[in-house]
Amino acid sequence: KSIPPGGFVPPHGRESLNRGVQPLLFAASDRRDHARDKRPSMGYQMKKDKKESEIEKTALWWSHIGQPIRPGGDEIRIIEEQLPTGQDISALILGATPEFVNLLLRRKAKKIVVIDHYEPHVKAMEILGGQDWSSVEVVLSDWRTENKNLEKTFNVILGDNAFLFTRYPEDWKNLSRILHGYLAPGGRFVLRSFFQPTKPFGFDHHLDETLKRVMEIRQEMPSDANMSIFRNEITNLRTGTTMAVIDAGSRCSARERDKLIQSARDKLAGLFKETPYWNTIDNILFVDAFKKGEYSVSSVPPLEEVSKLLLNTGFSSVLDIPSGDRPFKEAVSVLVARKS
């Protein structure tokens, strides 16, 4: 079964991925009943019907995720530098990335449209973002499906690992063509994404080094700052399981990644199972298998190939801005593709 793109999927929400989604446009003002200014970890409350419970769980799960799965401050500054200047910003965001929505709100964008496959995910990200999203329009759709109503509408399109859970190269080519059509002349597509490491990557060494660092920062009663550092270390560990299983076709074997995730969980359990850190570990290092033994598609191609793909689908130039942190400095970049 095909998996709609749009970020990492929490283990409790995967049943939504196989539902057919018809494109739907609605205003974010329809979601005002949800408390935007409260993170779930700070006592967020809502009625416990099935959908609202899913929203709450998704927001809580995402609150555990750190960098590089979520963009960091330096990357947000890089992306802000690529936004149009001297004109009104009309932006499309592929997936409800709260850091991107909040950036555009801060820049007082004239038009902000989010395209995402599942409404509860959008609501969860609004909670996580902690800002008023009432001016944001939402299109509920798989963004691999072309929407003629969006042609030549935007002067910037933002994506955070927006192609990761699609098939390479066929979906990447199709998406590039579609997004080129959505941009007005002179517009930019700004993509923060994982790419294949340019140097050999060994997961065992990555795991050992991570274990050393987290043991050095371990505290009996962790501070918020300490938990933030720990969260990024464990998120880096999960990212490493992806980097370690990329095959010759740029696909990632979820079955092999699960083995690495389980091995990391087993080692960390011996050190942290009865500590305040375990909840973070448990939320980040979940295994990826679906109930029926199915696996999601993941693709991590070489950066050079993606640059050529963008040029071959109509973009006039592609700029590569390295970002990220150890040990993925060569494998996390912001691509800026311009339309003539």
Side-chain angles (χ1 to χ4, degrees):
K1 297 178 181 179
S2 62
I3 304 298
F8 288 74
V9 182
H12 60 269
R14 292 178 185 149
E15 65 274 8
S16 68
L17 292 178
N18 292 323
R19 301 171 186 164
V21 178
Q22 297 297 321
L24 175 67
L25 176 67
F26 63 94
S29 56
D30 296 336
R31 305 191 298 280
R32 285 176 177 168
D33 290 340
H34 297 285
R36 301 179 185 88
D37 58 344
K38 295 182 181 179
R39 289 169 56 90
S41 58
M42 296 170 62
Y44 173 74
Q45 298 294 324
M46 60 165 59
K47 295 178 182 179
K48 299 297 183 182
D49 66 31
K50 185 175 180 180
K51 182 172 285 189
E52 288 181 328
S53 177
E54 181 179 352
I55 293 167
E56 183 180 29
K57 286 191 293 184
T58 300
L60 180 59
W61 179 80
W62 266 105
S63 72
H64 289 284
I65 305 300
Q67 303 171 37
I69 291 178
R70 293 179 66 178
D74 289 343
E75 292 169 312
I76 296 300
R77 283 187 286 273
I78 289 171
I79 290 164
E80 183 170 12
E81 291 172 355
Q82 303 305 318
L83 296 179
T85 58
Q87 59 179 307
D88 292 327
I89 298 173
S90 178
L92 175 67
I93 306 175
L94 305 177
T97 304
E99 293 85 353
F100 290 178
V101 174
N102 288 352
L103 167 63
L104 292 166
L105 288 171
R106 178 166 56 81
R107 288 292 301 271
K108 302 186 185 305
K110 181 180 180 180
K111 183 181 185 67
I112 305 172
V113 177
V114 166
I115 183 168
D116 200 291
H117 73 280
Y118 194 46
E119 182 182 357
H121 180 260
V122 178
K123 292 181 177 180
M125 294 302 100
E126 182 179 7
I127 294 166
L128 199 61
Q131 301 293 323
D132 181 0
W133 286 18
S134 58
S135 62
V136 178
E137 298 176 5
V138 177
V139 176
L140 291 179
S141 178
D142 178 335
W143 55 73
R144 292 172 296 186
T145 302
E146 190 169 6
N147 187 334
K148 295 293 185 181
N149 294 327
L150 300 181
E151 286 189 359
K152 297 181 180 179
T153 300
F154 307 100
N155 53 27
V156 66
I157 297 175
L158 303 180
D160 185 38
N161 269 315
F163 294 5
L164 178 64
F165 291 105
T166 66
R167 298 183 183 278
Y168 181 83
E170 55 269 35
D171 283 341
W172 289 56
K173 289 179 179 177
N174 183 51
L175 278 164
S176 179
R177 178 190 59 79
I178 290 172
L179 298 179
H180 183 273
Y182 291 168
L183 284 170
R188 303 176 183 182
F189 172 40
V190 184
L191 174 68
R192 174 189 175 269
S193 189
F194 296 158
F195 299 98
Q196 289 186 19
T198 56
K199 300 177 182 178
F201 178 78
F203 181 76
D204 289 342
H205 176 73
H206 177 44
L207 176 57
D208 290 343
E209 292 299 307
T210 301
L211 290 175
K212 290 177 185 178
R213 290 193 297 270
V214 295
M215 288 303 294
E216 288 175 358
I217 66 170
R218 176 174 172 164
Q219 297 175 356
E220 185 174 345
M221 297 293 293
S223 64
D224 288 346
N226 177 266
M227 283 302 301
S228 178
I229 295 170
F230 186 85
R231 186 182 305 119
N232 288 342
E233 290 286 1
I234 303 303
T235 305
N236 247 324
L237 199 56
R238 182 175 185 90
T239 305
T241 65
T242 297
M243 298 295 181
V245 297
I246 305 169
D247 64 20
S250 298
R251 305 284 176 85
C252 301
S253 168
R255 190 180 301 276
E256 293 303 312
R257 185 173 63 223
D258 268 2
K259 293 178 182 178
L260 297 181
I261 291 171
Q262 191 61 56
S263 71
R265 283 180 63 94
D266 291 344
K267 288 190 176 182
L268 286 161
L271 301 169
F272 293 98
K273 189 64 178 287
E274 304 301 327
T275 74
Y277 296 99
W278 181 251
N279 191 37
T280 294
I281 296 169
D282 192 39
N283 275 280
I284 297 173
L285 295 180
F286 63 89
V287 293
D288 197 44
F290 287 67
K291 293 179 180 179
K292 296 181 181 180
E294 299 168 346
Y295 290 87
S296 61
V297 172
S298 299
S299 301
V300 182
L303 185 149
E304 294 80 6
E305 287 188 12
V306 177
S307 295
K308 292 178 181 177
L309 181 151
L310 291 166
L311 292 171
N312 289 337
T313 50
F315 288 96
S316 59
S317 66
V318 178
L319 173 66
D320 161 34
I321 307 173
S323 66
D325 200 355
R326 64 169 200 275
F328 310 115
K329 194 172 183 60
E330 301 86 357
V332 185
S333 282
V334 176
L335 289 186
V336 184
R338 299 173 184 266
K339 178 177 180 177
S340 297

